[in-house]
């Protein structure tokens, strides 16, 4: 019997990101337009007779112990359903780390799905999302996938129709940005400008790419860009080279540009690499399929 399973864990970008306010308990209330993109990590699961969680990964600097979100996901399922078998997970990472693309959260979502399958549990998407929120605010979205409005601390999700077809250029400069630093330094209650998230929802429903690109804004840029001006340089470079618009994703430092032609996106990719603005640069498409 084949006792292995392979799943892809897809990254996301934020087409729009607003922070409505900082709550008294310290959490930030957000309104974000999420979009899954065709850039993924691969997880291979193998059932173990021993009661153990073993993680192997191609990135030597990532934790493979209980600090890895994949470990946390498998542990949560094992504990909740009293499973005494174990799992070995081979995590092959392609999504840039600490980049604003929910890399860890999407691995976590895939690990929940994979562990449930490997242990023969029949969990619904809703059940997996409820488990996921215990491990991270973006995890339920990574189970849901596609185009969605995310509210609350990220756990209130409204699925939207798929965004119109386009090419997305992703560029991650070689700096690390901690999500914690960005939120701690955001003056959430003093923001002068807020993105038109409702307008973007309407544009998505109308299938209007220009309606979306006209409204691309991310309030976290007010913290990350002053600390790392290279983000602005990459945004400008994309716009000077055919992007309809460009924006930082999540808390950064990844920048994405929306293109209506693959050729233009590929050309801009070459220029960004040539200028050495970013090392991890990819041309991808939106991805709107369900989690396997
Ligand atoms: P987000 O968009 O949700 O803010 P991110 O892209 O900023 O996510 P991640 O790539 O998820 O950040 O990683 C942040 C930190 O989490 C890393 O520094 C890493 O040590 C830790 N981590 C734990 N598990 C994983 C995982 N499976 N993949 C990547 N990082 C992980």
């Amino acid at each position: 019997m084949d006792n292995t399973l392979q799943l892809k864990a897809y990254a996301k970008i934020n087409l729009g990101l607003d922070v409505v306010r900082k709550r008294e308990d310290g959490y930030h209330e957000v309104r974000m337009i999420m979009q899954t993109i065709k850039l993924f990590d691969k997880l291979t699961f193998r059932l173990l007779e021993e009661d153990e969680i073993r993680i192997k990964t191609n990135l030597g600097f990532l934790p493979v112990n209980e600090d890895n979100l994949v470990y946390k996901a498998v542990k949560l399922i094992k504990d909740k359903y009293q499973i005494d078998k174990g799992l070995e997970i081979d995590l092959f990472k392609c999504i840039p780390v600490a980049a604003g693309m929910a890399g860890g959260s999407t691995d976590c979502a895939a690990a929940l799905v994979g562990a449930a399958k490997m242990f023969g549990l029949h969990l619904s998407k809703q059940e997996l999302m409820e488990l996921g929120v215990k491990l991270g605010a973006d995890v339920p979205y990574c189970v849901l996938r596609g185009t969605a409005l995310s509210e609350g601390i990220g756990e209130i999700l409204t699925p939207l129709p798929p965004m119109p077809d386009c090419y997305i250029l992703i560029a991650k400069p070689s700096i690390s940005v901690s999500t914690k630093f960005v939120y701690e330094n955001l003056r959430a209650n003093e923001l002068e400008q807020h993105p038109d998230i409702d307008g973007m929802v309407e544009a998505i429903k109308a299938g209007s790419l220009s309606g979306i690109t006209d409204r691309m804004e991310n309030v976290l840029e007010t913290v990350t860009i002053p600390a790392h001006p290279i983000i602005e340089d990459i945004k400008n470079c994309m716009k000077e080279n055919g992007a309809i618009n460009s924006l930082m994703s999540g808390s950064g430092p990844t920048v994405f540009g929306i293109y209506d032609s693959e050729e233009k996106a590929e050309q801009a990719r070459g220029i960004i690499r040539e200028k050495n603005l970013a090392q991890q640069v990819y041309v991808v498409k939106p991805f709107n399929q369900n989690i396997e």
Side-chain angles (χ1 to χ4, degrees):
M1 195 183 87
D2 182 15
N3 66 348
T4 68
L5 169 74
Q6 254 208 19
L7 293 180
K8 289 174 182 163
Y10 289 85
K12 62 86 183 162
I13 53 170
N14 300 97
L15 295 167
L17 193 159
D18 193 14
V19 177
V20 182
R21 68 181 183 112
K22 187 175 180 179
R23 300 195 314 207
E24 293 70 37
D25 61 7
Y27 280 100
H28 288 85
E29 230 173 79
V30 294
R31 296 192 81 213
M32 310 187 283
I33 304 287
M34 320 287 284
Q35 176 62 53
T36 308
I37 56 168
K38 219 166 177 182
L39 176 67
F40 51 82
D41 296 338
K42 278 189 208 153
L43 287 86
T44 309
F45 301 84
R46 195 167 67 86
L47 201 60
L48 298 174
E49 287 308 317
E50 312 89 81
D51 187 357
E52 228 187 285
I53 302 168
R54 252 184 253 153
I55 298 178
K56 296 193 281 183
T57 173
N58 59 320
L59 296 185
F61 60 87
L62 276 188
V64 289
N65 57 11
E66 62 277 4
D67 291 332
N68 196 301
L69 280 155
V70 169
Y71 188 107
K72 288 187 206 235
V74 178
K75 178 92 170 62
L76 184 66
I77 297 244
K78 272 172 59 62
D79 289 349
K80 182 164 166 89
Y81 298 97
Q82 296 169 8
I83 309 281
D84 56 12
K85 285 194 172 31
L87 277 185
E88 180 179 270
I89 302 108
D90 195 327
L91 171 63
F92 187 82
K93 289 221 54 106
C94 293
I95 304 170
V97 175
M101 302 183 79
S105 304
T106 195
D107 292 345
C108 182
L112 288 171
V113 174
K117 280 200 178 157
M118 294 301 289
F119 296 139
L121 304 166
H122 300 281
L123 303 183
S124 67
K125 205 178 231 191
Q126 194 56 42
E127 286 171 302
L128 290 164
M129 287 163 71
E130 279 163 21
L131 284 174
V133 76
K134 296 180 205 284
L135 300 173
D138 280 347
V139 179
Y141 166 72
C142 293
V143 173
L144 180 72
R145 294 181 171 175
T147 314
L149 169 68
S150 162
E151 296 173 289
I153 61 161
E155 85 294 12
I156 305 171
L157 295 165
T158 310
L160 296 170
M163 78 174 290
D165 199 27
C166 61
Y167 294 88
I168 304 171
L169 177 62
I170 302 287
K172 152 81 172 47
S174 60
I175 45 171
S176 287
V177 172
S178 126
T179 305
K180 195 164 170 270
F181 164 84
V182 176
Y183 275 99
E184 274 175 6
N185 286 279
L186 180 74
R187 296 174 170 270
N189 300 335
E190 292 166 32
L191 288 168
E192 282 164 20
Q193 208 181 315
H194 288 275
D196 179 13
I197 299 291
D198 291 329
M200 191 178 281
V201 169
E202 289 313 310
I204 291 168
K205 287 182 179 166
S208 164
L209 188 59
S210 63
I212 296 170
T213 51
D214 283 350
R215 295 178 173 82
M216 277 168 39
E217 252 184 89
N218 177 350
V219 296
L220 301 182
E221 286 186 345
T222 61
V223 180
T224 315
I225 291 184
H228 303 285
I230 193 167
I231 294 166
E232 189 75 55
D233 298 342
I234 299 173
K235 285 181 67 178
N236 289 336
C237 183
M238 286 186 182
K239 282 188 264 194
E240 283 156 15
N241 290 282
I244 309 171
N245 205 351
S246 59
L247 192 73
M248 184 181 84
S249 183
S251 50
T254 300
V255 175
F256 66 91
I258 304 285
Y259 289 79
D260 56 13
S261 104
E262 185 172 17
E263 209 186 331
K264 283 190 229 166
E266 283 294 350
Q267 211 172 358
R269 175 181 189 226
I271 293 167
I272 286 172
R273 294 188 73 121
E274 225 170 77
K275 289 189 168 174
N276 215 16
L277 288 169
Q279 286 62 46
Q280 291 171 285
V281 196
Y282 312 96
V283 175
V284 299
K285 299 198 81 175
F287 184 77
N288 278 81
Q289 282 169 27
N290 279 336
I291 202 159
E292 291 97 308

